[in-house]
Amino acid sequence: MFPTTLEAIRSTTSKRTAYISGILALLAVAIVFKAVWLARLGLGHGRDLVDFNAFYITAKLVWLGTVDQAYQFAKLIVIQREVSGGRDGFMPWTYPPQFSLLLAPFALIPVGIAYLLFVASTLTLYLAVLRRLAGDNFVLVLIVFFPTIGITLACGQNSLLTAALIGMVCLFFQERPILAGTALGLMIIKPHLAIAFAVYAVLRRSWIVVMTAAAVVLISSAICTAVFGVEIWSAFLQSVRDSSVFLEHGNYPMHRMISIYAALRTAGLSASAAFVAQGVAAVLALAVVLIAAYRPMPARERFGLVAIVSVCISPYAYDYDFLIFSVGLALLLPALLASAREWERGIIYALPIPIGAFGYLQAMQMASSYNGEQALSTFSIGGFAIIPLIALIVGIVLLRSSGTEAVSEPTVRCASA
């Protein structure tokens, strides 16, 4: 009954419009509330830093000419502690310099307004791309991923932007490869989430996409070098090395991560064993990319498969990064609606919900109790849930949908393609 009830929402234009309007209104309220909270105008309790605070701090450092301090954990801890009024929480900065430069303009305005502009613009882009991909299924995808969008807004993360960029790669890959390559190149802000599509582009010999993406990375790197100096790259690489030690020692909030590495670590396995399992998961994910590249199937199914496995290659993926999965589901829904049984669709719709919801509840628990050790001892729900979810979807698409399809649109041009 659950999938049937959920799918009934998309049956008429009036129902879709009503639900979409309601969801967008809730998201707007959440954005305004968080902007006020960040502006410290009296709403909310507690002032622990959220991710957007880390973005804003780095943007300020850009203008001060000391952005290299964002990559030096010992110095960044002191800066974040001062901003948070003495809180002990710490958010390492491991983003490539391109993202630091992208954030710089936001430091010129108050933090509340900066958050409002950043989140509202990236949310608008994400929703526009998702609507193009999902068509009549747009409201269905919104409901399933509403908790994940919620946790993204709550912490002010950039996953709305990265999901939109991946969606643009899917939209423009065949007909506008320069645009697709540009979007893929801009994923340098979170390169570990773009590995699957980079491999897919090479396997498909889409050289315009590959060369455009490479050009974007090289040009943006040259700009960063000119602005920050060549030493910014050694600082960045050192932060990456330091973060790998953090990850190995379990110092990240792995209950919020969605990788098999995080799942096994929170279950008590050693770092080495969890890394081996993560390696196996990455190999299997790339095998799906290989199948998608060479097996005859509709374009939207190719891109959908690549999108859903792109989040399980790296051990470093959070619940908000799961939004990329919404891009894959939007593309695959026509095939799933046609081929999946009702109980299978129920699982596909149900499993993404606790991934975002659990992350949100855990984030609120940590903010209110200041008991990081208690939160870190919990299981990675997302890490355990995402494996059967991907396995089920991949199995349905590869074993039923593509093999029985008669006619398919060759390009992802619009929602009904």
Side-chain angles (χ1 to χ4, degrees):
M1 289 297 295
F2 169 64
T4 303
T5 303
L6 200 57
E7 290 162 2
I9 296 171
R10 52 191 280 282
S11 60
T12 64
T13 302
S14 60
K15 284 185 178 181
R16 292 196 300 270
T17 301
Y19 275 91
I20 291 172
S21 299
I23 291 172
L24 294 183
L26 289 174
L27 295 177
V29 170
I31 291 173
V32 172
F33 179 86
K34 196 66 179 185
V36 173
W37 187 91
L38 284 167
R40 287 159 166 73
L41 296 182
L43 294 181
H45 301 283
R47 288 294 181 246
D48 271 10
L49 298 184
V50 296
D51 293 68
F52 190 78
N53 290 118
F55 293 178
Y56 196 74
I57 289 170
T58 300
K60 287 285 189 182
L61 294 176
V62 170
W63 291 105
L64 292 173
T66 57
V67 69
D68 59 300
Q69 293 184 7
Y71 296 103
Q72 300 173 39
F73 290 1
K75 293 182 179 180
L76 186 59
I77 289 174
V78 175
I79 296 172
Q80 291 184 357
R81 188 169 295 168
E82 290 176 353
V83 173
S84 64
R87 304 294 187 192
D88 291 331
F90 172 58
M91 287 179 284
W93 188 259
T94 56
Y95 286 99
Q98 284 91 334
F99 189 56
S100 302
L101 188 61
L102 176 66
L103 292 171
F106 292 99
L108 301 176
I109 52 180
V111 63
I113 299 175
Y115 165 85
L116 186 65
L117 292 177
F118 178 79
V119 172
S121 60
T122 55
L123 176 63
T124 300
L125 179 62
Y126 166 74
L127 293 176
V129 172
L130 189 66
R131 185 161 197 148
R132 282 282 306 274
L133 295 171
D136 291 344
N137 297 317
F138 178 58
V139 64
L140 179 57
V141 180
L142 273 187
I143 292 173
V144 171
F145 284 89
F146 183 77
T148 308
I149 297 174
I151 186 60
T152 303
L153 299 181
C155 58
Q157 253 292 336
N158 62 8
S159 52
L160 292 164
L161 175 59
T162 53
L165 289 174
I166 290 297
M168 291 170 66
V169 174
C170 299
L171 276 174
F172 302 128
F173 193 92
Q174 293 176 286
E175 293 192 333
R176 299 180 180 179
I178 293 179
L179 289 179
T182 301
L184 184 59
L186 291 175
M187 280 297 294
I188 188 62
I189 63 175
K190 276 192 175 178
H192 57 289
L193 298 178
I195 294 173
F197 275 96
V199 171
Y200 177 82
V202 172
L203 292 175
R204 293 290 295 178
R205 298 182 181 180
S206 301
W207 303 125
I208 295 179
V209 173
V210 173
M211 290 187 293
T212 303
V216 170
V217 172
L218 291 174
I219 293 172
S220 63
S221 298
I223 294 173
C224 289
T225 303
V227 174
F228 300 136
V230 68
E231 64 274 4
I232 193 65
W233 297 106
S234 59
F236 164 62
L237 292 175
Q238 183 59 50
S239 75
V240 172
R241 288 190 289 268
D242 292 341
S243 69
S244 65
V245 176
F246 266 54
L247 187 64
E248 182 179 355
H249 291 170
N251 292 330
Y252 281 109
M254 284 189 287
H255 63 289
R256 293 276 311 279
M257 291 185 175
I258 58 172
S259 64
I260 188 63
Y261 173 84
L264 296 179
R265 287 289 280 142
T266 59
L269 269 70
S270 66
S272 56
F275 269 124
V276 169
Q278 182 65 50
V280 172
V283 169
L284 292 175
L286 292 175
V288 173
V289 174
L290 182 66
I291 294 172
Y294 292 121
R295 179 173 174 174
M297 65 176 68
R300 65 181 305 122
E301 292 183 18
R302 294 180 188 273
F303 299 133
L305 288 174
V306 177
I308 66 171
V309 301
S310 63
V311 295
C312 56
I313 292 178
S314 170
Y316 192 86
Y318 278 93
D319 44 22
Y320 43 74
D321 294 319
F322 188 58
L323 273 184
I324 290 178
F325 202 98
S326 68
V327 171
L329 185 62
L331 288 165
L332 293 172
L333 265 176
L336 296 173
L337 289 168
S339 303
R341 301 180 181 92
E342 183 176 349
W343 66 268
E344 292 171 329
R345 299 198 309 277
I347 293 175
I348 292 169
Y349 301 152
L351 280 180
I353 295 175
I355 293 176
F358 181 79
Y360 186 85
L361 292 174
Q362 287 291 335
M364 294 304 101
Q365 176 193 2
M366 292 183 68
S368 60
S369 66
Y370 310 116
N371 190 352
E373 291 184 1
Q374 180 181 352
L376 288 171
S377 68
T378 59
F379 285 109
S380 166
I381 297 297
F384 284 110
I386 198 171
I387 299 302
L389 178 61
I390 291 177
L392 177 61
I393 293 176
V394 170
I396 293 171
V397 172
L398 293 183
L399 298 180
R400 299 182 203 164
S401 175
S402 298
T404 59
E405 183 181 27
V407 179
S408 64
E409 180 71 28
T411 60
V412 180
R413 298 177 55 186
C414 60
S416 59

